[in-house]
Amino acid sequence: MKKINIGLIGFGNVGCGVVKILQQRKSLLARKIGIEIAIKKICDKDISSKRDVSIDPSMLTRDANEIINDPQIDIVVELMGGQTTAKEYISCALKKGKHVVTANKALLAECGRELFALAFERGKNIYFEASVGAGIPIIKSIKEGLVANKFKCIFGIVNGTSNYVLTQMEKENCSISSAISAAQKEGFAEKDPTLDIEGIDSAHKLVLLTYLAFGKIVSLKDIFIEGISHISLADINYAKELGYTIKLLAIAKKVADELEVMVYPAFLPCEHLLSSVDGIFNAIFLSSDLAGDLMFYGPGAGQLSAASAVVSDIVDLTQDIKAGLFRPTLNTVEDNSIKGLRKIGEFENKYYIRVMAVDKPGVLASISGILAKFGISIASVTQKEKLKSQVVPVIMITHYAKEKNLRTALKMIDKLADIKEKSVAIRIEGV
């Protein structure tokens, strides 16, 4: 039986999960694919700490070059994270004639074009299923299962930490700071949760999904990114009263001949499928021309979930090697009907607006007049209970409006003497 040797760089939580699966399912995988997958060497800066998996100490090293320069190793699995050193290791591995499996979405989002081109030049592949949605097979599905389809939009919850925080706020009626603390206590959030809470992690994943679905490698700087740090418990509760829930969404959609690519919190109708996705779970909704509307759902984090995706990539590569196949990573066909990216100011949405106003005659008329001046019509308006100093929340739902018009109108509204806090506007999706 042919044997494929693996070199693993990064022996943290997911790395341990990969080793565990390859050990426990070794005979099963060999029977299924007719190839023995063997871990030859594992590299990590910490090789002394005890892990939840048993390994021959002679397999461990702190020097990644022992893996990269070993001619007997066929596939390098990079699970160390970070960008600079990981990029160097992946580049060197490709140049040494090795295929690469990685879960490093930040690196691929920032440097994917360069690394994919290098892989193609060397006749090798970079597989990255675990970089989006952990064990959810979204990348393989887009690349293979839906290969004949053209996509209208991708629409999903791709960050478990932010979704857990929003769920906690809604279920436990707590502030965002309390919800973040709960996520950290459960191990669902980092000590510094900025990348998750501010939408950057979601944007990294959206870069990859946009490339796969539309053939466009979008720069991170070209994605409109808005996190959830400004979402208040009041808005969570008002959303519930109005029949909505708030989710941090990653969206790429074709509008006419332009592509809109954005990450932001949005109101979703409670009956929408994504509204029921709670906690650390992820879900990705695809709209395609042939297969129709599809949703992929599962845990977006976890040792074995992510490791399952890594092992899937390893198995795919071993079969390619056995068959002598080269299926280039850069095999996505660009949608030439897309002429460019639409700027955020040109986006059109319905909006939830909360204005904190003094409760006296004429104030609502002033607000409505400014909105009308910018072509923004109101679908519904509700004045909530009085708060301190005679200030009341005025809650409005608009019809479709252009983003730049809404933002300009809100700046004018906030300058009114009877407006006591900065107004809040949250986009409405799924309607």
Side-chain angles (χ1 to χ4, degrees):
M1 183 180 287
K2 184 176 178 64
K3 182 166 78 170
I4 296 294
N5 288 317
I6 307 297
L8 174 62
I9 303 176
F11 198 28
N13 188 44
V14 177
C16 286
V18 170
V19 173
K20 195 180 298 182
I21 293 171
L22 290 178
Q23 286 181 343
Q24 295 175 356
R25 306 291 164 87
K26 183 175 181 177
S27 60
L28 173 65
L29 290 172
R31 291 198 308 273
K32 281 190 170 184
I33 63 177
I35 303 170
E36 179 187 349
I37 299 173
I39 302 169
K40 191 169 189 291
K41 189 68 82 173
I42 299 172
C43 172
D44 197 273
K45 62 183 179 181
D46 173 14
I47 59 174
S48 58
S49 294
K50 191 174 182 180
R51 270 104 170 161
D52 63 349
V53 63
S54 298
I55 283 289
D56 183 342
S58 67
M59 294 172 60
L60 298 173
T61 180
R62 292 187 178 91
D63 184 2
N65 289 313
E66 290 187 31
I67 291 173
I68 293 167
N69 294 323
D70 187 339
Q72 294 183 336
I73 288 178
D74 305 285
I75 300 171
V76 171
V77 179
E78 181 275 308
L79 296 174
M80 61 181 290
Q83 292 193 38
T84 304
T85 305
K87 180 185 176 183
E88 177 188 344
Y89 289 163
I90 289 174
S91 298
C92 290
L94 293 169
K95 290 173 183 177
K96 290 288 184 178
K98 304 181 191 307
H99 296 283
V100 171
V101 173
T102 181
N104 199 329
K105 67 267 183 179
L107 174 61
L108 293 180
E110 298 281 2
C111 307
R113 187 191 301 268
E114 177 185 344
L115 291 172
F116 293 151
L118 176 60
F120 183 80
E121 175 191 319
R122 299 290 171 148
K124 300 300 171 183
N125 268 323
I126 302 172
Y127 278 26
F128 51 98
E129 183 66 68
S131 61
V132 180
I136 302 171
I138 185 64
I139 290 172
K140 190 178 181 71
S141 295
I142 295 174
K143 285 181 66 178
E144 299 179 21
L146 300 170
V147 67
N149 285 260
K150 291 183 178 180
F151 296 94
K152 302 170 188 175
C153 75
I154 299 171
F155 184 90
I157 297 164
V158 295
N159 182 268
T161 299
S162 60
N163 201 48
Y164 179 90
V165 167
L166 290 171
T167 301
Q168 191 77 1
M169 291 174 72
E170 182 178 353
K171 305 294 185 187
E172 300 300 325
N173 201 41
C174 66
S175 67
I176 189 166
S177 58
S178 296
I180 291 172
S181 295
Q184 290 168 328
K185 185 177 180 180
E186 293 292 333
F188 299 148
E190 302 287 345
K191 185 176 181 181
D192 179 1
T194 302
L195 287 176
D196 299 313
I197 298 302
E198 296 303 337
I200 299 167
D201 175 78
S202 294
H204 285 148
K205 296 167 182 174
L206 185 59
V207 169
L208 301 178
L209 291 173
T210 302
Y211 162 64
L212 290 165
F214 298 101
K216 294 282 186 183
I217 298 182
V218 179
S219 297
L220 204 66
K221 63 181 177 60
D222 292 327
I223 298 178
F224 176 77
I225 305 172
E226 181 184 303
I228 64 170
S229 57
H230 66 291
I231 299 296
S232 71
L233 178 60
D235 295 318
I236 294 277
N237 288 330
Y238 291 144
K240 192 185 301 184
E241 287 180 23
L242 292 165
Y244 295 92
T245 186
I246 300 178
K247 298 293 184 183
L248 181 66
L249 301 177
I251 305 170
K253 61 183 175 182
K254 187 178 176 184
V255 180
D257 62 353
E258 292 182 306
L259 199 61
E260 293 183 357
V261 188
M262 55 275 192
V263 172
Y264 50 56
F267 273 41
L268 275 177
C270 287
E271 63 269 17
H272 194 283
L273 285 174
L274 290 179
S275 289
S276 62
V277 178
D278 287 340
I280 63 164
F281 281 81
N282 285 190
I284 301 158
F285 182 87
L286 295 176
S287 181
S288 66
D289 62 342
L290 301 178
D293 294 340
L294 305 166
M295 193 171 87
F296 297 79
Y297 169 84
Q303 182 191 64
L304 294 180
S305 177
S308 171
V310 173
V311 171
S312 174
D313 280 346
I314 292 171
V315 168
D316 279 351
L317 278 173
T318 60
Q319 292 177 313
D320 288 351
I321 293 168
K322 179 184 179 182
L325 293 176
F326 172 51
R327 296 184 291 170
T329 306
L330 283 173
N331 64 350
T332 298
V333 176
E334 183 173 347
D335 185 343
N336 291 321
S337 67
I338 298 173
K339 304 304 180 186
L341 298 178
R342 181 168 291 190
K343 300 294 185 183
I344 181 64
E346 300 301 315
F347 291 6
E348 291 190 17
N349 284 90
K350 293 183 178 181
Y351 292 86
Y352 155 91
I353 300 172
R354 174 168 58 83
V355 179
M356 303 302 292
V358 174
D359 184 21
K360 69 179 189 180
V363 176
L364 184 56
S366 297
I367 294 169
S368 301
I370 292 173
L371 292 173
K373 180 179 177 181
F374 290 94
I376 302 163
S377 60
I378 301 171
S380 66
V381 60
T382 307
Q383 183 172 303
K384 309 305 291 185
E385 71 282 356
K386 280 186 182 179
L387 301 177
K388 58 184 178 180
S389 305
Q390 303 299 302
V391 175
V392 297
V394 179
I395 307 300
M396 292 173 280
I397 300 294
T398 75
H399 291 292
Y400 280 96
K402 193 166 283 190
E403 178 91 16
K404 64 183 179 183
N405 293 343
L406 182 88
R407 297 301 167 182
T408 304
L410 289 182
K411 284 181 182 178
M412 290 186 65
I413 289 170
D414 288 346
K415 290 178 181 177
L416 296 174
D418 293 318
I419 304 303
K420 298 305 179 182
E421 293 180 16
K422 185 178 179 180
S423 299
V424 172
I426 301 174
R427 301 161 193 88
I428 299 173
E429 293 284 353
V431 292

